[in-house]
Coordinates of all heavy atoms in Angstrom, one line a residue:
M1 N 157.3 163.3 122.3 CA 156.7 163.4 121.0 C 155.2 163.3 121.2 O 154.7 162.3 121.8 CB 157.3 162.4 120.0 CG 156.6 162.5 118.6 SD 157.0 161.1 117.5 CE 158.7 161.4 117.2
S2 N 154.4 164.2 120.6 CA 153.0 164.1 120.8 C 152.4 163.2 119.6 O 152.9 163.2 118.6 CB 152.3 165.5 120.8 OG 152.5 166.1 119.6
V3 N 151.3 162.6 119.9 CA 150.6 161.9 118.9 C 149.6 162.8 118.2 O 148.8 163.5 118.9 CB 149.8 160.7 119.6 CG1 149.0 160.0 118.6 CG2 150.8 159.7 120.3
V4 N 149.7 162.8 116.9 CA 148.8 163.7 116.1 C 147.6 162.9 115.7 O 147.7 161.8 115.1 CB 149.5 164.3 114.9 CG1 148.5 165.1 114.1 CG2 150.7 165.1 115.3
R5 N 146.4 163.3 116.0 CA 145.2 162.6 115.7 C 144.8 162.9 114.2 O 144.8 164.1 113.8 CB 144.0 163.1 116.6 CG 142.7 162.4 116.4 CD 141.7 163.0 117.5 NE 140.4 163.0 117.0 CZ 139.8 163.8 116.2 NH1 140.5 164.7 115.6 NH2 138.5 163.8 115.9
D6 N 144.5 162.0 113.5 CA 144.0 162.1 112.1 C 142.6 162.6 112.1 O 141.7 161.7 112.3 CB 144.3 160.8 111.3 CG 144.0 161.0 109.8 OD1 143.6 162.1 109.4 OD2 144.2 160.0 109.1
A7 N 142.4 163.8 111.8 CA 141.0 164.4 111.9 C 140.1 163.8 110.8 O 138.9 163.9 110.9 CB 141.1 165.9 111.8
I8 N 140.7 163.3 109.7 CA 139.9 162.8 108.6 C 140.3 161.3 108.4 O 140.3 160.8 107.2 CB 140.0 163.6 107.3 CG1 141.4 163.7 106.8 CG2 139.3 164.9 107.6 CD1 141.5 164.4 105.5
G9 N 140.5 160.6 109.5 CA 140.9 159.1 109.4 C 139.7 158.3 108.7 O 140.0 157.3 108.1
W10 N 138.5 158.9 108.7 CA 137.4 158.2 108.0 C 137.6 158.1 106.5 O 136.9 157.3 105.9 CB 136.0 158.9 108.3 CG 136.1 160.4 108.1 CD1 136.3 161.3 109.1 CD2 136.1 161.2 106.9 NE1 136.3 162.6 108.6 CE2 136.2 162.5 107.3 CE3 135.9 160.8 105.6 CZ2 136.1 163.5 106.3 CZ3 135.9 161.8 104.7 CH2 136.0 163.2 105.0
R11 N 138.5 158.9 105.9 CA 138.7 158.8 104.5 C 139.1 157.4 104.0 O 138.9 157.1 102.9 CB 139.7 159.9 104.1 CG 141.1 159.5 104.5 CD 142.0 160.7 104.0 NE 143.4 160.5 104.3 CZ 144.0 160.7 105.5 NH1 143.3 161.2 106.5 NH2 145.3 160.5 105.7
A12 N 139.7 156.6 105.0 CA 140.1 155.2 104.6 C 138.8 154.4 104.2 O 139.0 153.4 103.5 CB 140.8 154.6 105.8
R13 N 137.7 154.8 104.7 CA 136.4 154.1 104.3 C 135.9 154.5 102.9 O 134.9 153.9 102.5 CB 135.4 154.3 105.4 CG 135.7 153.7 106.7 CD 134.6 153.8 107.7 NE 134.1 155.2 108.0 CZ 134.3 155.8 109.0 NH1 135.1 155.4 110.0 NH2 133.8 157.0 109.2
L14 N 136.5 155.5 102.3 CA 136.0 155.9 101.0 C 136.8 155.1 99.9 O 138.0 154.8 100.1 CB 136.3 157.4 100.8 CG 135.7 158.3 101.8 CD1 136.2 159.8 101.5 CD2 134.2 158.3 101.7
D15 N 136.1 154.8 98.8 CA 136.8 154.2 97.7 C 137.6 155.3 96.9 O 137.4 156.5 97.1 CB 135.9 153.4 96.8 CG 134.8 154.2 96.1 OD1 135.1 155.3 95.8 OD2 133.7 153.6 95.9
P16 N 138.5 154.9 96.0 CA 139.3 156.0 95.3 C 138.4 157.0 94.5 O 138.8 158.2 94.5 CB 140.1 155.1 94.3 CG 140.3 153.8 95.0 CD 138.9 153.6 95.7
A17 N 137.4 156.6 93.9 CA 136.5 157.5 93.2 C 135.9 158.6 94.2 O 135.8 159.8 93.9 CB 135.4 156.8 92.4
E18 N 135.5 158.1 95.4 CA 134.9 159.0 96.4 C 136.0 160.0 96.9 O 135.7 161.2 97.1 CB 134.3 158.2 97.5 CG 133.1 157.5 97.2 CD 132.6 156.6 98.3 OE1 133.5 155.8 98.9 OE2 131.4 156.5 98.5
R19 N 137.2 159.5 97.1 CA 138.3 160.4 97.6 C 138.6 161.4 96.6 O 138.8 162.6 96.9 CB 139.5 159.6 97.9 CG 139.4 158.8 99.2 CD 140.7 158.2 99.7 NE 141.3 157.2 98.8 CZ 141.0 155.9 98.8 NH1 140.2 155.5 99.7 NH2 141.6 155.1 98.0
K20 N 138.5 161.1 95.3 CA 138.8 162.1 94.2 C 137.7 163.2 94.2 O 138.0 164.3 94.1 CB 138.7 161.4 92.9 CG 139.0 162.3 91.6 CD 139.0 161.5 90.4 CE 139.4 162.3 89.2 NZ 138.4 163.2 88.8
V21 N 136.4 162.8 94.4 CA 135.3 163.7 94.5 C 135.5 164.6 95.7 O 135.3 165.9 95.6 CB 134.0 163.0 94.4 CG1 132.8 164.0 94.7 CG2 133.8 162.3 93.1
L22 N 135.9 164.0 96.8 CA 136.1 164.8 98.0 C 137.1 165.9 97.8 O 137.0 167.1 98.1 CB 136.5 163.9 99.2 CG 137.0 164.6 100.4 CD1 136.0 165.5 101.1 CD2 137.5 163.5 101.5
V23 N 138.3 165.5 97.2 CA 139.3 166.5 97.0 C 138.9 167.6 96.0 O 139.2 168.7 96.2 CB 140.6 165.7 96.4 CG1 141.6 166.7 95.9 CG2 141.2 164.9 97.5
E24 N 138.1 167.2 95.0 CA 137.5 168.2 94.0 C 136.6 169.2 94.8 O 136.7 170.4 94.5 CB 136.8 167.5 92.9 CG 137.7 166.7 91.9 CD 137.0 165.9 90.9 OE1 135.7 165.7 91.0 OE2 137.6 165.3 90.1
E25 N 135.8 168.7 95.6 CA 134.9 169.6 96.4 C 135.7 170.5 97.3 O 135.4 171.7 97.4 CB 133.9 168.8 97.2 CG 132.8 168.2 96.4 CD 131.7 167.6 97.3 OE1 131.4 168.1 98.4 OE2 131.1 166.6 96.8
L26 N 136.7 170.0 98.0 CA 137.5 170.8 98.8 C 138.3 171.9 98.0 O 138.4 173.0 98.4 CB 138.5 170.0 99.6 CG 137.9 169.2 100.8 CD1 138.9 168.2 101.4 CD2 137.4 170.1 101.8
G27 N 138.7 171.4 96.8 CA 139.5 172.4 96.0 C 138.6 173.5 95.5 O 139.0 174.7 95.5
G28 N 137.3 173.2 95.2 CA 136.3 174.2 94.8 C 136.1 175.2 95.9 O 136.0 176.4 95.7
V29 N 136.0 174.7 97.2 CA 135.8 175.6 98.3 C 137.0 176.5 98.5 O 136.9 177.7 98.7 CB 135.5 174.8 99.6 CG1 135.5 175.7 100.8 CG2 134.2 174.0 99.5
V30 N 138.2 176.0 98.4 CA 139.4 176.7 98.6 C 139.6 177.8 97.5 O 140.1 178.9 97.8 CB 140.7 175.8 98.8 CG1 142.0 176.6 98.8 CG2 140.5 174.9 100.0
L31 N 139.2 177.4 96.3 CA 139.3 178.4 95.2 C 138.4 179.7 95.5 O 138.8 180.8 94.9 CB 138.9 177.8 93.9 CG 140.0 176.9 93.2 CD1 139.4 176.3 92.0 CD2 141.2 177.8 92.8
D32 N 137.4 179.5 96.3 CA 136.6 180.6 96.6 C 137.4 181.7 97.3 O 137.1 182.9 97.2 CB 135.4 180.2 97.5 CG 134.3 179.5 96.8 OD1 134.3 179.5 95.5 OD2 133.5 178.9 97.4
L33 N 138.5 181.4 98.0 CA 139.3 182.3 98.7 C 140.0 183.2 97.6 O 140.1 184.4 97.8 CB 140.4 181.6 99.5 CG 141.4 182.5 100.3 CD1 140.6 183.3 101.4 CD2 142.5 181.6 100.9
Y34 N 140.4 182.6 96.6 CA 141.1 183.5 95.5 C 140.0 184.2 94.7 O 140.4 185.1 94.0 CB 141.9 182.5 94.6 CG 143.0 181.9 95.4 CD1 142.9 180.6 95.8 CD2 144.1 182.6 95.7 CE1 143.9 180.0 96.5 CE2 145.1 182.1 96.5 CZ 145.1 180.7 96.8 OH 146.1 180.2 97.5
R35 N 138.8 183.9 94.8 CA 137.7 184.6 94.1 C 137.2 185.8 95.1 O 136.2 186.4 94.7 CB 136.6 183.7 93.8 CG 137.0 182.7 92.7 CD 135.8 181.8 92.4 NE 136.2 180.7 91.5 CZ 136.0 179.4 91.7 NH1 135.4 179.0 92.7 NH2 136.4 178.6 90.8
G36 N 137.8 185.9 96.2 CA 137.4 187.1 97.0 C 136.6 186.7 98.2 O 136.1 187.6 99.0
A37 N 136.2 185.4 98.5 CA 135.5 185.1 99.6 C 136.3 185.3 100.9 O 137.4 185.1 100.9 CB 135.0 183.6 99.5
P38 N 135.6 185.7 102.0 CA 136.3 185.9 103.2 C 136.8 184.6 103.7 O 136.2 183.5 103.5 CB 135.2 186.5 104.2 CG 134.1 187.0 103.3 CD 134.2 186.1 102.0
A39 N 137.9 184.7 104.5 CA 138.6 183.5 105.0 C 137.7 182.6 105.8 O 137.6 181.4 105.7 CB 139.9 183.8 105.7
D40 N 136.9 183.3 106.7 CA 135.9 182.6 107.6 C 134.9 181.8 106.7 O 134.5 180.7 107.1 CB 135.2 183.5 108.5 CG 136.2 183.9 109.7 OD1 137.2 183.1 110.0 OD2 135.9 184.9 110.3
E41 N 134.5 182.4 105.7 CA 133.5 181.7 104.7 C 134.1 180.4 104.1 O 133.5 179.4 104.0 CB 133.0 182.7 103.7 CG 131.9 182.2 102.8 CD 131.5 183.2 101.8 OE1 131.1 184.3 102.2 OE2 131.4 182.9 100.6
V42 N 135.4 180.6 103.7 CA 136.1 179.4 103.1 C 136.2 178.4 104.2 O 136.0 177.2 103.9 CB 137.4 179.9 102.5 CG1 138.2 178.7 102.1 CG2 137.2 180.8 101.4
L43 N 136.7 178.7 105.4 CA 136.8 177.7 106.4 C 135.5 177.0 106.8 O 135.4 175.8 107.1 CB 137.4 178.4 107.7 CG 138.9 178.7 107.5 CD1 139.3 179.5 108.8 CD2 139.8 177.5 107.4
D44 N 134.4 177.8 106.8 CA 133.1 177.2 107.0 C 132.8 176.2 105.9 O 132.2 175.1 106.2 CB 132.0 178.3 107.1 CG 132.1 179.1 108.3 OD1 132.7 178.8 109.3 OD2 131.4 180.3 108.3
G45 N 133.1 176.5 104.7 CA 132.9 175.6 103.5 C 133.7 174.4 103.7 O 133.2 173.3 103.4
V46 N 134.9 174.5 104.0 CA 135.8 173.3 104.2 C 135.2 172.4 105.3 O 135.1 171.2 105.2 CB 137.2 173.7 104.6 CG1 138.1 172.5 105.1 CG2 137.9 174.3 103.3
S47 N 134.8 173.1 106.5 CA 134.2 172.3 107.6 C 132.9 171.6 107.1 O 132.7 170.4 107.4 CB 133.9 173.3 108.7 OG 133.3 172.6 109.8
R48 N 132.1 172.3 106.3 CA 130.9 171.7 105.9 C 131.1 170.5 105.0 O 130.5 169.4 105.2 CB 130.0 172.7 105.1 CG 128.7 172.2 104.5 CD 128.1 173.2 103.6 NE 128.9 173.9 102.6 CZ 129.4 173.3 101.5 NH1 129.1 172.1 101.2 NH2 130.2 174.0 100.7
V49 N 132.0 170.6 104.1 CA 132.4 169.5 103.2 C 132.9 168.3 104.0 O 132.5 167.2 103.7 CB 133.4 169.9 102.1 CG1 133.9 168.8 101.3 CG2 132.7 170.9 101.1
L50 N 133.9 168.6 104.9 CA 134.4 167.5 105.6 C 133.4 166.8 106.6 O 133.4 165.6 106.7 CB 135.6 168.0 106.5 CG 136.9 168.4 105.7 CD1 137.9 169.0 106.6 CD2 137.4 167.2 104.9
T51 N 132.5 167.6 107.1 CA 131.5 167.0 108.0 C 130.5 166.1 107.2 O 130.2 165.0 107.5 CB 130.7 168.2 108.7 OG1 131.5 168.9 109.5 CG2 129.5 167.6 109.5
E52 N 130.1 166.7 106.0 CA 129.1 165.9 105.2 C 129.8 164.6 104.7 O 129.2 163.5 104.7 CB 128.7 166.8 103.9 CG 127.8 167.8 104.3 CD 127.5 168.7 103.1 OE1 128.0 168.5 102.0 OE2 126.7 169.7 103.3
W53 N 131.0 164.7 104.3 CA 131.7 163.5 103.8 C 132.0 162.5 104.9 O 132.0 161.3 104.8 CB 133.0 163.8 103.0 CG 132.7 164.1 101.6 CD1 132.4 165.3 101.1 CD2 132.7 163.3 100.5 NE1 132.2 165.2 99.7 CE2 132.3 163.9 99.3 CE3 133.0 161.9 100.4 CZ2 132.3 163.3 98.1 CZ3 132.8 161.3 99.1 CH2 132.5 162.0 98.0
G54 N 132.3 163.0 106.1 CA 132.6 162.2 107.3 C 131.3 161.4 107.7 O 131.4 160.2 108.0
E55 N 130.2 162.1 107.6 CA 128.9 161.4 107.9 C 128.6 160.4 106.9 O 128.2 159.3 107.2 CB 127.8 162.5 108.1 CG 127.9 163.3 109.3 CD 127.0 164.5 109.3 OE1 126.3 164.7 108.3 OE2 126.9 165.2 110.3
M56 N 128.8 160.7 105.6 CA 128.5 159.9 104.5 C 129.4 158.6 104.5 O 128.9 157.5 104.2 CB 128.7 160.6 103.2 CG 128.1 159.9 102.0 SD 129.3 159.0 100.9 CE 130.7 160.0 100.9
S57 N 130.6 158.8 104.9 CA 131.5 157.7 104.9 C 131.1 156.5 105.9 O 131.5 155.4 105.8 CB 132.9 158.1 105.3 OG 133.1 158.4 106.6
A58 N 130.3 156.9 106.9 CA 129.8 155.9 107.9 C 128.7 155.1 107.4 O 128.3 154.1 108.1 CB 129.4 156.7 109.2
V59 N 128.1 155.4 106.3 CA 127.0 154.7 105.7 C 127.5 153.6 104.8 O 128.1 153.9 103.7 CB 126.0 155.6 104.9 CG1 124.9 154.8 104.3 CG2 125.5 156.7 105.8
P60 N 127.4 152.3 105.2 CA 128.0 151.3 104.4 C 127.4 151.0 103.0 O 128.1 150.6 102.1 CB 127.9 150.0 105.3 CG 126.8 150.3 106.3 CD 126.7 151.8 106.4
D61 N 126.1 151.3 102.9 CA 125.5 151.0 101.6 C 125.1 152.2 100.8 O 124.2 152.3 100.1 CB 124.3 150.1 101.8 CG 123.2 150.8 102.7 OD1 123.6 151.8 103.3 OD2 122.1 150.3 102.8
R62 N 126.0 153.2 100.9 CA 125.8 154.5 100.3 C 125.9 154.4 98.8 O 126.5 153.4 98.2 CB 126.7 155.6 100.8 CG 128.2 155.2 100.5 CD 129.1 156.2 101.2 NE 130.5 155.9 101.0 CZ 131.2 155.0 101.8 NH1 130.5 154.4 102.8 NH2 132.5 154.7 101.6
I63 N 125.4 155.4 98.1 CA 125.5 155.4 96.6 C 126.9 156.0 96.4 O 127.2 157.1 96.9 CB 124.4 156.3 96.0 CG1 123.1 155.6 96.3 CG2 124.7 156.5 94.5 CD1 121.9 156.5 95.9
R64 N 127.7 155.4 95.5 CA 129.0 155.8 95.2 C 129.1 156.4 93.8 O 128.3 156.1 93.0 CB 130.0 154.6 95.4 CG 130.1 154.2 96.8 CD 131.1 152.9 96.9 NE 131.4 152.7 98.2 CZ 130.7 151.9 99.1 NH1 129.5 151.5 98.7 NH2 131.2 151.7 100.3
P65 N 130.2 157.2 93.6 CA 130.3 157.8 92.2 C 130.4 156.6 91.2 O 131.1 155.6 91.4 CB 131.7 158.5 92.3 CG 131.8 158.9 93.7 CD 131.2 157.7 94.5
G66 N 129.7 156.8 90.1 CA 129.7 155.7 89.1 C 128.6 154.7 89.3 O 128.3 153.9 88.4
D67 N 127.9 154.7 90.4 CA 126.8 153.8 90.6 C 125.6 154.2 89.7 O 125.4 155.4 89.5 CB 126.3 153.8 92.1 CG 127.2 153.0 93.1 OD1 128.1 152.4 92.6 OD2 126.9 153.1 94.3
V68 N 124.9 153.2 89.3 CA 123.7 153.5 88.5 C 122.5 153.2 89.4 O 122.3 152.1 89.9 CB 123.6 152.6 87.2 CG1 122.3 152.8 86.5 CG2 124.8 152.8 86.3
V69 N 121.7 154.2 89.5 CA 120.5 154.2 90.4 C 119.3 154.3 89.6 O 119.2 155.3 88.8 CB 120.6 155.2 91.5 CG1 119.4 155.1 92.4 CG2 121.8 155.2 92.3
T70 N 118.3 153.4 89.8 CA 117.1 153.5 89.0 C 116.0 153.9 90.0 O 116.1 153.8 91.2 CB 116.7 152.2 88.3 OG1 116.4 151.2 89.4 CG2 117.8 151.7 87.5
L71 N 114.9 154.4 89.4 CA 113.7 154.8 90.2 C 113.2 153.6 91.0 O 112.8 153.7 92.2 CB 112.6 155.3 89.3 CG 111.4 155.9 90.1 CD1 111.9 157.1 91.0 CD2 110.5 156.5 89.0
R72 N 113.3 152.4 90.5 CA 112.9 151.2 91.2 C 113.7 151.1 92.5 O 113.3 150.7 93.5 CB 113.1 149.9 90.3 CG 112.8 148.7 91.1 CD 112.9 147.5 90.2 NE 111.7 147.4 89.4 CZ 111.4 146.5 88.5 NH1 112.2 145.5 88.3 NH2 110.2 146.5 87.9
D73 N 115.0 151.3 92.4 CA 115.9 151.2 93.6 C 115.4 152.2 94.6 O 115.5 151.8 95.8 CB 117.3 151.5 93.2 CG 118.0 150.5 92.3 OD1 117.6 149.4 92.3 OD2 118.9 150.9 91.5
V74 N 115.1 153.3 94.2 CA 114.7 154.4 95.2 C 113.3 154.1 95.8 O 113.1 154.2 97.0 CB 114.7 155.8 94.6 CG1 114.2 156.8 95.5 CG2 116.1 156.1 94.1
E75 N 112.4 153.7 95.0 CA 111.0 153.6 95.5 C 110.7 152.3 96.3 O 110.0 152.3 97.2 CB 110.0 153.6 94.3 CG 109.9 155.0 93.7 CD 108.8 155.1 92.7 OE1 108.5 154.0 92.0 OE2 108.3 156.1 92.5
G76 N 111.3 151.2 95.9 CA 110.9 150.0 96.6 C 112.0 148.9 96.7 O 111.7 147.8 97.0
G77 N 113.2 149.2 96.3 CA 114.3 148.3 96.4 C 114.1 147.1 95.4 O 114.6 146.0 95.6
G78 N 113.4 147.3 94.4 CA 113.3 146.2 93.3 C 112.2 145.2 93.6 O 112.2 144.1 93.0
R79 N 111.3 145.5 94.5 CA 110.3 144.4 94.8 C 109.2 144.4 93.7 O 109.0 145.4 93.0 CB 109.5 144.8 96.1 CG 110.4 144.8 97.4 CD 109.6 145.2 98.5 NE 108.9 146.5 98.2 CZ 108.3 147.2 99.1 NH1 108.1 146.7 100.3 NH2 107.8 148.4 98.7
D80 N 108.7 143.2 93.5 CA 107.6 143.0 92.5 C 106.3 142.9 93.3 O 105.9 141.8 93.7 CB 107.8 141.7 91.7 CG 109.0 141.9 90.7 OD1 109.3 143.0 90.3 OD2 109.7 140.9 90.5
D81 N 105.6 144.0 93.5 CA 104.4 144.0 94.2 C 103.2 144.0 93.3 O 103.1 144.5 92.3 CB 104.2 145.3 95.1 CG 105.3 145.3 96.2 OD1 105.9 144.3 96.5 OD2 105.4 146.4 96.8

């Protein structure tokens, strides 16, 4: 019996809201096939989504769905200069 490698094992690092968004994005890409997109274009889209999410899952302090981000958070981390 061969061992099957989980190509998207990184999904365990996603919280439930992130997994839901990932599935929605993949669903949108796959729907392009039914809208007439060539199969290779759809596969490229699936690959792009999985690559982006895989890279994002490795960032421990990433912004997650539902997070509230303010300009202060982006510009200076809330410092009082």
Side-chain angles (χ1 to χ4, degrees):
M1 180 189 291
S2 66
V3 175
V4 177
R5 183 178 150 287
D6 185 355
I8 58 171
W10 48 260
R11 72 184 183 275
R13 294 189 300 258
L14 301 175
D15 64 31
E18 290 173 317
R19 286 192 295 273
K20 182 178 185 286
V21 173
L22 168 60
V23 170
E24 289 170 353
E25 285 189 31
L26 286 171
V29 171
V30 172
L31 280 176
D32 286 344
L33 181 64
Y34 296 101
R35 294 180 184 128
D40 283 340
E41 185 177 308
V42 172
L43 289 173
D44 288 345
V46 168
S47 177
R48 177 187 46 77
V49 169
L50 291 176
T51 299
E52 289 172 0
W53 276 88
E55 290 170 354
M56 191 260 322
S57 73
V59 178
D61 59 348
R62 64 189 174 273
I63 298 170
R64 292 180 166 83
D67 283 353
V68 176
V69 179
T70 65
L71 189 55
R72 174 178 282 181
D73 293 334
V74 174
E75 287 186 336
R79 295 180 306 188
D80 292 329
D81 293 347

